[in-house]
Amino acid sequence: MSRPQGPSGLVIVDKPGGLTSHGVVSRMRRLAGTRRVGHAGTLDPMATGVLIIGVEKATRLLGHLALTEKEYAATIRLGQTTVTDDAEGEVTASVPVGAVTREAVDAGIAALTGPIQQVPSKVSAIKVNGVRSYTRVREGEDFELPARPVTVSSFTVQDMRRAEAVDAAGAATEVVDLDVTVVCSSGTYIRALARDLGAGLGAGGHLTALRRTRVGPYGLDGARTLEQLELSFAVLPIEQAAAAAFPRWDADADQARLLGHGVRIAVPALPAGPHAVFGPDGRFLALVEEDKGKAKIVAGFAQ
């Protein structure tokens, strides 16, 4: 006899540092009492902040939520490069930063703002011929990742300060730390922005702190820590989650019935991208896209 399905919805987690995204999923599976749990958009173990967790039917939303705009608060260290482009990796080089000015930093950031071509960090989960990039790095393989188009909508310096850090030889070296905020498209690597900003300034750079503050409409104000979820676990109902994340289309009874059977019904001209369809009873029925005047179902939720 199968276990009755629990409530479907999202959990907005404020992920702690030192834990993988998969580790958070494992915790959520235990709390939700189901293995049907997933996440939208991986956060590195070092990173903290908003991690979207889907439970039961809401797991089908995750791939679409992962494509939405994201916002980060980060600290970039200029003057040192690391093998991972962040503080998790070994320092590979140190360069004097005495000549780095705020004007030069602003110019470097401007060059990395807008639609850009970005080469992802090699120590990443991107697959190269079926093998994770980080696996190839660990095996000592020499390879290059192709650049990919991403959009950095906003890249702003909140604070710039000079500090001392230990260099590759164990000696103190001068560095510049930048506290920045970034709003960007899915697929943007903040580590790569740090690396490329440092390279453009001739000083090298890497990420020392990263906190994701927003994924689409979901921000830290609605996120809960693992400790809070252990005390009181609840999901954001799938209807509320879909209404917050996607443009809404309210179908009448006949349209809802046909959509429930997978029929491609006529729709008004809709802007590009998924739309959440709701029936007269408020039930979330499907994500649809307009295709030649018809509703193309990209994910169904009626059953």
Side-chain angles (χ1 to χ4, degrees), residues 153-214:
S153 304
S154 173
F155 191 175
T156 306
V157 176
Q158 304 296 336
D159 187 38
M160 176 175 173
R161 57 191 179 275
R162 296 186 182 272
E164 280 193 348
V166 176
D167 66 14
T173 184
E174 184 185 12
V175 295
V176 169
D177 284 342
L178 304 173
D179 293 333
V180 302
T181 54
V182 179
V183 179
C184 57
S185 63
S186 175
T188 305
Y189 280 81
I190 310 302
R191 284 184 288 151
L193 288 179
R195 176 201 65 202
D196 294 343
L197 177 62
L201 292 168
H206 70 280
L207 204 63
T208 61
L210 181 65
R211 183 161 176 77
R212 188 155 66 192
T213 55
R214 180 173 62 85

Side-chain angles (χ1 to χ4, degrees), residues 106-116:
D106 288 343
I109 282 177
L112 293 170
T113 304
I116 63 172

